[in-house]
Amino acid sequence: MGSPVVLGIESSCDETGAGLVRAGRLLGHAVASSMDEHARYGGVVPEIAARAHVHALTPVVRRALDEAGLRMSDIGAVAVTTGPGLSGALQVGLAGAKSLAYALDVPLYGVHHLAGHVAADTLEHGPLPDPCMVLIVSGGHTSLLLVRDLARDPIVHLGDTLDDAAGECFDKVARVFGLPYPGGPAIDRAARDGDPAAVPFPRPLTGQRDAAHTHSFSFSGLKTAAARWAEGHAGRPLPVADGAASLQEAVADVLTRKAVAACREHGVGTLVVVGGVAANSRVRALAEERCRAAGIALRVPPPRLCTDNGAMIAAVGDLLVRAGAAPAPLNVSIDPSAPLEFASLHPVGAAFGRAA
């Protein structure tokens, strides 16, 4: 018998995603976003997100099935994000996944959200090289990881953000610049008409005195520098395009410089860039330029697989099924602040009480 069709469900933040994967091949996926409902508040409101997931989950699963030309009875396993993320949002996705797994009498797999971002690249470029360097950049996470067998081996953290993530920096500075939420795409659009060298924004944790944080990130100071620069134009028109281009250049410079350096240090020949900020045009272009110069193979998923989606969760579930991993117990719960140690995430009981 061949590999089963794996349904993946993602509901960690403001996107409700469902994807169907079999033997490493994406069959269909659908996403519903509640982003417009949060835009007026300048950020995600957890209660609004959770309610939106309740309304969107069933239609999104049906749309994914329709795109794949499959029926509910064709599903052979269910994978779901069990952390990290917003508590209420995760609960909705897990409840739906448990119900489907129980009704279909198929195994259930709890998946770490960030492992999903890593696995998203396999849907476009095939199996990950062993080893590979992974740069995760999103609204809540910025990490450098050494990845071997995603389904079987522990994930090695070389460095993480010490404060704000790259996407969070974009969101907060965009608001200061008067740009709409979400800030990442808005900054990217505004930067097209700007000069990336117009403002000498800092490159945090890249100096010689930062040797102890070679693979770590910090974007809080960059965010503050951009805010101070904007305040300095009080009473005068703010050159938003130049500010956006310069900010984007600083973020892309730090991310790609550290990622390429990590590849060299650890003798890794492939860099995989994933997460929502991997959709940023300058991050992609500078990563390509620097990897080519260093003789490093670069893999970046298409933008539709960079942001949160159910296909990436299905991809992890598919890898776990094919690796013979144990399914989640029936009392699996969520862990809103789960560290990334393994791709599978099966917290029970007390883990639910951890703070997000």
Side-chain angles (χ1 to χ4, degrees):
M1 184 177 177
S3 297
V5 173
V6 180
L7 168 67
I9 293 175
E10 156 62 23
S11 68
S12 65
C13 193
D14 59 339
E15 272 97 18
T16 312
L20 296 151
V21 171
R22 177 169 53 200
R25 188 168 69 93
L26 177 60
L27 306 176
H29 81 117
V31 177
S33 176
S34 58
M35 187 179 297
D36 291 346
E37 299 177 55
H38 304 285
R40 73 180 72 176
Y41 304 103
V44 176
V45 181
E47 180 61 23
I48 291 176
R51 290 178 181 273
H53 289 309
V54 171
H55 293 291
L57 185 58
T58 297
V60 161
V61 171
R62 292 191 182 281
R63 279 168 45 205
L65 285 166
D66 288 343
E67 181 179 292
L70 297 173
R71 297 172 297 178
M72 196 75 76
S73 58
D74 293 320
I75 296 170
V78 178
V80 61
T81 303
T82 46
L86 302 175
S87 178
L90 290 168
Q91 285 280 34
V92 174
L94 179 57
K98 282 184 175 181
S99 299
L100 286 171
Y102 181 81
L104 297 170
D105 192 24
V106 299
L108 174 70
Y109 294 85
V111 171
H112 195 288
H113 175 78
L114 297 184
H117 278 301
V118 178
D121 184 71
T122 67
L123 300 175
E124 184 71 14
H125 300 120
L128 294 170
D130 180 2
C132 63
M133 190 67 62
V134 177
L135 172 65
I136 296 183
V137 274
S138 67
H141 305 275
T142 304
S143 301
L144 263 176
L145 312 172
L146 185 60
V147 176
R148 296 191 180 278
D149 187 318
L150 185 62
R152 296 180 173 91
D153 295 334
I155 296 164
V156 179
H157 284 248
L158 299 179
D160 298 283
T161 185
L162 304 179
D163 40 59
D164 289 359
E168 184 179 1
C169 176
F170 279 149
D171 283 341
K172 291 180 177 178
V173 173
R175 191 168 186 174
V176 172
F177 285 3
L179 296 172
Y181 175 85
I187 290 285
D188 203 351
R189 289 191 298 270
R192 295 171 190 166
D193 300 318
D195 177 3
V199 188
F201 286 136
R203 269 58 169 171
L205 299 185
T206 59
Q208 292 185 347
R209 64 179 181 179
D210 299 311
H213 299 293
T214 302
H215 302 313
S216 298
F217 301 92
S218 170
F219 293 103
S220 179
L222 176 58
K223 173 194 67 180
T224 301
R228 297 292 85 82
W229 173 79
E231 289 173 0
H233 287 77
R236 294 177 292 145
L238 181 68
V240 173
D242 284 346
S246 298
L247 176 76
Q248 182 172 263
E249 188 68 21
V251 171
D253 182 17
V254 171
L255 292 173
T256 58
R257 188 191 310 189
K258 285 177 174 282
V260 170
C263 288
R264 285 172 168 159
E265 180 180 329
H266 291 270
V268 176
T270 301
L271 172 64
V272 183
V273 184
V274 298
V277 180
N280 178 271
S281 63
R282 185 54 182 155
V283 170
R284 296 171 81 96
L286 192 53
E288 183 176 342
E289 176 186 323
R290 287 180 165 169
C291 283
R292 186 186 308 114
I296 296 168
L298 175 67
R299 293 175 38 155
V300 188
R304 66 190 175 89
L305 294 177
C306 287
T307 52
D308 292 350
N309 62 84
M312 70 186 196
I313 304 304
V316 179
D318 175 63
L319 290 173
L320 293 172
V321 168
R322 289 189 283 147
L330 291 177
N331 63 339
V332 63
S333 62
I334 63 167
D335 188 347
S337 57
L340 178 56
E341 297 170 342
F342 290 90
S344 60
L345 179 62
H346 299 167
V348 294
F352 174 73
R354 292 173 57 170

